Amino acid sequence: MKTKKVGIITIGDELLIGQVTDTNSTRIGQILGKEGIRVLRKWCVGDRAEEILYALHEAEKMADLILITGGLGPTKDDITVKTLSEYFGAGLVFHEGAFANLSRMLEARHVPVRDMHRQQCVLPSNARLLDNKLGTAPGLLFEEKGKIWVSMPGVPYEMEYILEHGVMPLLRDKGFNQGFSQMTILTAGLGESEIAHRIEPLIEGMPEEISLAYLPSLGSVRLRLSGQSSDPQALANKIRHFGDIIIQELKHHVCGTGDGNVSQMLGQVLRDGKLKICTAESCTGGSISRMIAEIQGASDYFEGAVIGYSVDSKKEILGLNSHILESAGIVSEQTVREMALGACRLFHADLAIATTGYAGPTGGTEESPTGTIWIAAGNEKHMITRRISGGMDRIRNIERASALGLLLAWDWIRQYGKL
Amino acid sequence: MKTKKVGIITIGDELLIGQVTDTNSTRIGQILGKEGIRVLRKWCVGDRAEEILYALHEAEKMADLILITGGLGPTKDDITVKTLSEYFGAGLVFHEGAFANLSRMLEARHVPVRDMHRQQCVLPSNARLLDNKLGTAPGLLFEEKGKIWVSMPGVPYEMEYILEHGVMPLLRDKGFNQGFSQMTILTAGLGESEIAHRIEPLIEGMPEEISLAYLPSLGSVRLRLSGQSSDPQALANKIRHFGDIIIQELKHHVCGTGDGNVSQMLGQVLRDGKLKICTAESCTGGSISRMIAEIQGASDYFEGAVIGYSVDSKKEILGLNSHILESAGIVSEQTVREMALGACRLFHADLAIATTGYAGPTGGTEESPTGTIWIAAGNEKHMITRRISGGMDRIRNIERASALGLLLAWDWIRQYGKL
């Protein structure tokens, strides 16, 4: 079976000088990957015609589909459109429909329509426009020489909108996702090598067409069984068979199957168990709360959070005992327990997640150096605590403690949620 | 002036499928950019020899310096090393010194020395090793044909260590850091096209060697003036001149200059004004709190947050009046004001940021449909409020409201912070 090849071109000086991290190509890889479409190469070039042309020529050599992001928008640093028209030898024409859309959108936002907006609708004559409900620049689709090019704005949610609504349906139509089947299993509490050690003997007979990938992230590992076949139904059955073997072996380390992240899985078990959760965060600064709240319908089980950044706020709002704070220390198991209990009382919740630590890059004591974070999940009956020792990287420490906080709550529910 | 050209090659299937976002090339761009060294192109390829060779050949065509990350380490299918040795036609030899270093490091970590560690020291004969104090894989430096190649591990802090300590001194020696100058201006509250409309007539006389880029994100636009010249002092003066014209025109829409994001700028004005801030969040779920807490040293001005997700928690913890909640509605200007005031009282803070809204994709009323979010910043003396109307995209609504919340606080401090 001939697999279609995909290349990504990201355009922007800001990507080269490191002012912006390219998350667009990450999202593209994820969205395409969910349907079995693999990205083969990426090029990143600056906002200059010769650079964009270089990438276009290189991508055309190998890819069936070329996804381009960046360099579409109202101001003059946007030369992508001109370069595409040059590349295809197509003239630039005023697209009436695009201008009507744009004017409507600007009107709704009470932004005056200006010359540069008209200019933004002067686009290559061979471009088909892809609707962008979230911004002013439409996506541009080109089909030439049996290949597809799509140029999208660099603003992440606009890019994603066009990709999901304009591009993916077309790719399905064209059979880019042919015969693909996959199953993903989210696990928690085991490392990649431990999982491999346990499951690989059991799946020795797995056909070659199925590949197993380990996708580790902070505190959890997602396993993906996937393949592509001319008999997708038979493939799906085989994947299911080996997936079930893995689930049986890893038992309670399996958080769930599907694309959901840990917050979603946690939301599901909270809803199933009719449990209410809250958080009391110090060093994670609201990160756990945000991860819970991001999930649609979180208000069914999420009561709220107290972020006690100063010592006083910890004491007053969470009702922490000054003696405990002083004797055990702000960053200690006892304090993190007390924080969780305080939050349970305050929010009348069934369980709380709490964190206290030195996120870095400075702070800490001899006993609890920078990067030491205590995490708790539970209530007055049962409490699980854990201490992690991170490095000096503040963002990484916050992310790791947040992920582990959610996993601790998930584990608590598994153990005590039905009591 | 002949500018040295830099290319980056990032290697890893995980980067193509979107499992990992490439932050390494961002950091490289930043670190090089601080000394005026510009990255011209980036290639990202998978863990296969033919793919790596493609990138090596392409990079050699244009670059004086090629920085490679990924594909060095103990467990990875280590094909980068083999491919480099093939590329340079150099044999693989056992590097005694590298093994001595590695053994010392493993010993200190109480990790037994295994065969795979010995194997890790079999490296191209023409490689000079660059010290990696933070991991087991050294950087590899190659100087051939008047060009430089550096291969570094993909682990971000290891890469950064080698870059800062091994690569940058060499680049300074070789004169890579010549003649670059830039200035960035962070603005808030104006769209890209509005800014362009206002400033472009004023900078018509700007020399061609200076380029202006617009870098929009939620609620703010960063402007970057940059160029490279054989007379860097004259260039810097010209950039400064036009930067000042822009700042004067955009006045209070300018949050600051430099690379800081809105949270950092806000942190700076809070610290300068000796002001303490807190948040009371509903639909943003702790996102604003997290953005404030992520900044190093936030404990100097951040008191904490209450995330009142349920109605009861809003009432009880923030002390909201039931009558107001019922008459004005949970998503209303009056409620968001009361939330901010409640948080100020609770945390004894000088100002609070508050949010309440329907983040979506469901929820809402006729008056306040899905996506309606009220934001407030202030205290009992002065309060700024704003209503935003988003769409159904929950994450986007949360992000937008959070960004605007920070900007509102910034605006409040500008107006009232000195009272």
Side-chain angles (χ1 to χ4, degrees), chain A residues 33-34 36 179-186 195 199-200 202-215 222-228 235-248 250 257-259:
Chain A
K34 271 196 290 190
F180 176 76
S181 192
Q182 73 166 348
M183 174 178 183
T184 60
I185 302 166
L186 186 67
I195 295 175
I199 67 174
E200 296 211 336
L202 303 175
I203 57 169
E204 271 190 351
M206 194 164 73
E208 279 219 347
E209 61 184 347
I210 303 175
S211 60
L212 168 64
Y214 297 81
L215 314 174
R222 194 187 294 278
L223 303 175
R224 192 183 57 224
L225 292 160
S226 65
Q228 208 149 8
L235 175 69
N237 289 340
K238 284 181 217 159
I239 286 178
R240 182 83 231 168
H241 169 75
F242 286 97
D244 286 343
I245 289 176
I246 292 172
I247 291 172
Q248 228 163 17
L250 301 180
T257 57
D259 279 334

Side-chain angles (χ1 to χ4, degrees), chain A residues 345-365:
Chain A
R345 284 191 302 269
L346 194 62
F347 289 103
H348 315 292
D350 299 299
L351 77 154
I353 304 171
T355 61
T356 179
Y358 300 109
T362 56
T365 62

Side-chain angles (χ1 to χ4, degrees), chain A residues 23-24 26-28 30-31 34 69 131-134 152-169, chain B residues 393 395-396 399:
Chain A
T23 55
N24 276 340
T26 309
R27 278 304 283 154
I28 293 174
Q30 290 167 353
I31 291 169
K34 271 196 290 190
T69 74
D131 195 25
N132 173 7
K133 284 228 187 312
L134 305 177
M152 299 174 284
V155 182
Y157 53 87
E158 296 184 28
M159 184 285 296
E160 205 168 320
Y161 181 89
I162 294 169
L163 187 64
E164 292 271 23
H165 296 86
V167 181
M168 292 310 294
Chain B
D393 186 331
I395 305 282
R396 178 169 148 68
E399 283 177 356

Side-chain angles (χ1 to χ4, degrees), chain A residues 17-19 30 41-42 44 51 54 58 75 114 157 215 285 289-290 293-294 303-305 307 310 394, chain B residues 15 18 30 41-42 44 51 54 58 192 194 215 222 224 285 289-290 293 303-305 307 310 394 396:
Chain A
I17 66 166
Q19 197 153 27
Q30 290 167 353
R41 282 184 199 155
K42 303 196 273 193
C44 176
E51 289 299 304
Y54 163 77
E58 284 301 307
T75 55
R114 297 190 195 285
Y157 53 87
L215 314 174
S289 171
R290 184 192 159 151
E294 263 178 12
E303 287 293 315
I307 319 305
S310 63
R394 185 177 184 87
Chain B
L15 300 170
Q30 289 168 353
R41 284 184 197 154
K42 303 196 271 192
C44 175
E51 289 298 304
Y54 163 77
E58 284 301 308
E192 193 180 343
E194 181 63 25
L215 314 173
R222 194 188 295 277
R224 191 186 60 230
S289 171
R290 181 187 161 154
E303 287 293 315
I307 320 304
S310 64
R394 185 178 184 84
R396 178 169 148 68

Side-chain angles (χ1 to χ4, degrees), chain B residues 120-136:
Chain B
Q120 219 186 322
C121 300
V122 177
L123 298 166
S125 57
N126 65 333
R128 220 178 84 201
L129 306 192
L130 300 178
D131 194 25
N132 174 7
K133 283 228 185 315
L134 306 177
T136 58

Side-chain angles (χ1 to χ4, degrees), chain A residues 369-380:
Chain A
T370 306
T372 303
I373 299 175
W374 275 98
I375 310 170
N379 60 23
E380 75 283 357

